[in-house]
């Protein structure tokens, strides 16, 4: 792989319109490139002359990375994403449809669903404005000790700031060789809106090599005890509002030790991450040395990026399985498409448009507002916000084998009644072996205990908590992202009135985790690899007998 240096010659960013006018990016010849650049400079000069001012050079003052040969025309930059000619309404979907019309790509519904996720992120970026980068002082990078030092060495207070609440959730695209990762990244990167002032695309291995070089230079200049990660991250953030990684992987213990803080530091400066990989985040650095130190990085990737599977399994009805997991956070512009895809997969493929139904329990009516096949869709308020109980949920389990619950809020101690009712519903879904799809306002680990409640619980349990200490803040964040740690915390928390309540809340998290597994979701769906329609019919009979026995 070609090595690079931060002292690379200046590279000018090609506009998306210029690239669209040429053949595939990897096949741009030198002569075409020179002609295209000259033509674009001429047009810029003409426009500037008409407007009465000098044309902008469009060059980066100091490019952050030098890309590999296959990336060098689409990476780096400064950007003045000077693509005023390309409307912000022109995104990955429009570019995909153009290539299909030209015969360069074949129409594929599974792939289109994934590209829609790219389009949703494109739309979010149109309205997103990255905050100015603030470099930490060298004094703040000197180490201090704290109660949570067992999470690793921590630097001074608030070196890594909170991740901005308006930062769109990034994308983690994974799949086997040949699943279209490069093409998808091309569609996203080449159609980024003009609101993105700088962007970089780079192979992840090259990126980490450059990071380690920068860290080494910082330690040589300021001593080995300095925590250089936040400072280096700030430098990188100045070069890229959007950072795209090709082939994200972790095979080196040195990478594993710093990756969590590096990615979190980048996000704290408002950098949006999009990456491709051959592996699901849970499979990264598997069996690596000190892998437990890498687990927080996995939790960060899963909580801050939408994880999407590019491989395309289909069931006997030829309906593609949605590429994302069954749980979606937060309630953003992606939430509606998440529900639409899962309703189509779990519902009736012949009549996917939902309709309402009414079920009866002990002489009472249960109104089901949206039904497709054997899949029922409620908002949280429609199901849990009403006076429903275990008998209602059991009747629903007899009528349906899949449930979509949208707009699930975080439930603090003030909403304990709602939380208990929701847990009763989760238990009914789990024990009937049904499927559950959720869109939630907060991550699952924060459904029943908020960061503030965790902080108060630690204080009541006699553990020192400094509200201004960054190490405490991040240690608590790690607890909330780690499902197992969160379950342990719930079991020992003083927030609950008794052992039975503690156990119920912890059990709900554990069951939600199990029901999100691939095995749980695909069981009985009749996927071709599992036996097709015969497997589906067999499972339906077994579940029906089980429900009769339970009643």
């Amino acid at each position: 792989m070609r090595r690079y240096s931060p002292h690379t010659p200046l590279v000018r960013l090609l506009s998306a319109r210029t690239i669209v006018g040429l053949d595939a990016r990897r096949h741009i010849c030198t002569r075409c490139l020179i002609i295209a650049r000259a033509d674009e400079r001429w047009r810029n000069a003409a426009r500037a002359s008409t407007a009465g001012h000098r044309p902008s050079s469009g060059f980066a003052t100091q490019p952050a990375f030098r890309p590999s040969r296959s990336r060098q025309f689409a990476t780096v930059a400064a950007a003045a994403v000077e693509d005023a000619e390309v409307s912000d309404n022109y995104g990955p979907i429009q570019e995909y449809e153009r290539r299909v019309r030209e015969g360069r790509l074949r129409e594929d519904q599974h792939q289109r669903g994934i590209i829609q996720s790219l389009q949703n992120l494109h739309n979010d970026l149109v309205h997103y404005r990255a905050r100015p980068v603030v470099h930490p002082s060298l004094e703040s990078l000197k180490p201090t000790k704290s109660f949570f030092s067992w999470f690793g060495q921590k630097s001074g207070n608030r070196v890594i700031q909170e991740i901005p609440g308006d930062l769109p959730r990034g994308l983690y695209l994974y799949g086997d060789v040949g699943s279209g990762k490069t093409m998808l990244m091309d569609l996203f990167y080449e159609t980024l809106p003009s609101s993105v002032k700088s962007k970089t695309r780079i192979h992840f291995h090259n990126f980490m090599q450059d990071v380690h070089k920068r860290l080494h230079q910082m330690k040589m200049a300021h001593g080995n005890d300095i925590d250089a990660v936040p400072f280096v991250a700030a430098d990188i953030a100045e070069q890229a509002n959007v950072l795209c990684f090709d082939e994200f992987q972790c095979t080196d213990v040195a990478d594993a030790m710093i990756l969590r803080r590096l990615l979190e530091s980048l996000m704290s400066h408002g950098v949006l991450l999009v990456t491709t990989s051959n592996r699901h985040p849970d499979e990264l650095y598997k069996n690596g040395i000190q892998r437990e130190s890498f687990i927080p990085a996995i939790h960060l990737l899963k909580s801050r990026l939408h994880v999407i599977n590019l491989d395309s399994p289909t069931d006997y009805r030829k309906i593609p399985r949605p590429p994302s997991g069954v749980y979606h956070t937060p309630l953003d512009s992606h939430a509606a498409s998440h529900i639409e895809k899962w309703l189509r997969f779990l519902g009736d493929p012949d009549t996917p448009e939902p309709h309402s139904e009414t079920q009866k329990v002990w002489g009472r009516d249960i109104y089901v507002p949206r039904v497709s096949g054997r899949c029922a869709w409620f908002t949280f308020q429609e199901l849990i916000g009403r006076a429903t109980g275990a008998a209602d949920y059991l009747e629903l389990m007899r009528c349906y084998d899949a449930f979509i619950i949208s707009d699930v809020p975080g439930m603090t101690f003030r909403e304990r009644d709602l939380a208990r009712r929701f847990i009763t519903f989760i238990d009914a879904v789990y024990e009937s072996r049904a499927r559950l799809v959720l869109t939630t306002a907060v991550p699952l680990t924060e459904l029943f205990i908020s960061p503030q409640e965790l902080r108060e619980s630690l204080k009541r349990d006699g553990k020192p908590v400094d509200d201004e200490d960054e190490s405490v803040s991040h240690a608590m964040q790690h607890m909330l992202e780690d499902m197992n740690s969160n379950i342990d915390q719930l079991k020992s928390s003083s927030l609950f009135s008794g052992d039975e309540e503690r156990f119920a809340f912890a059990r709900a998290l554990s069951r939600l985790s199990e029901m999100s597994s691939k095995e749980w979701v695909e069981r009985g769906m009749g996927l071709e690899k599992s036996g097709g329609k015969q497997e589906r019919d067999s499972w339906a009979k077994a579940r029906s007998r089980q429900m009769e026995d339970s009643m």
Side-chain angles (χ1 to χ4, degrees), residues 174-186:
Y174 76 98
D176 293 334
V177 174
S179 58
K181 296 189 292 291
T182 299
M183 181 273 292
L184 291 169
M185 186 68 89
D186 289 345

Side-chain angles (χ1 to χ4, degrees), residues 14 67 103 248 271 290 316 326 371 377 461 476 498:
L14 281 178
F248 189 102
V271 175
Q290 299 182 30
Y316 71 96
V326 288
V371 176
W377 169 18
D461 293 340
M476 287 174 41

Side-chain angles (χ1 to χ4, degrees), residues 360-481:
K360 290 187 178 293
V361 180
W362 300 101
R364 293 186 300 106
D365 290 342
I366 305 177
Y367 178 68
V368 187
R370 290 165 291 274
V371 176
S372 176
R374 297 273 296 177
C375 178
W377 169 18
F378 297 86
T379 67
F380 181 86
Q381 190 62 32
E382 289 168 344
L383 181 64
I384 308 301
R386 298 189 301 179
T388 51
D392 303 304
Y393 304 148
L394 288 175
E395 180 61 27
L396 290 174
M397 298 307 130
R398 294 185 61 185
C399 300
Y400 310 104
D401 53 28
F403 296 87
I404 298 174
I405 310 298
S406 57
D407 303 323
V408 180
M411 288 159 274
T412 65
F413 68 93
R414 296 181 183 86
E415 293 87 26
R416 280 291 178 257
D417 287 341
L418 287 177
R420 294 187 186 98
R421 202 175 295 162
F422 188 48
I423 287 172
T424 302
F425 174 75
I426 291 171
D427 288 341
V429 173
Y430 179 85
E431 289 163 6
S432 68
R433 299 297 186 264
R435 299 170 187 83
L436 182 62
V437 176
L438 302 176
T439 62
T440 64
V442 297
L444 290 187
T445 50
E446 296 181 31
L447 274 182
F448 307 125
I449 180 170
S450 68
Q452 182 60 31
E453 287 179 318
L454 176 57
R455 187 183 298 273
E456 292 172 358
S457 175
L458 289 173
K459 288 181 179 179
R460 282 198 296 269
D461 293 340
K463 298 174 182 177
V465 178
D466 181 358
D467 291 340
E468 297 301 321
D469 192 335
E470 178 216 356
S471 64
V472 174
S473 175
H474 287 280
M476 287 174 41
Q477 186 63 33
H478 298 169
M479 285 183 187
L480 290 171
E481 290 171 359

Side-chain angles (χ1 to χ4, degrees), residues 87-106:
S87 167
D88 285 344
N89 294 326
Y90 188 89
I93 278 286
Q94 289 75 25
E95 176 63 11
Y96 172 75
E97 291 172 344
R98 187 188 69 82
R99 295 186 185 190
V100 169
R101 287 195 303 270
E102 293 177 354
R104 296 167 57 187
L105 293 175
R106 179 172 56 86

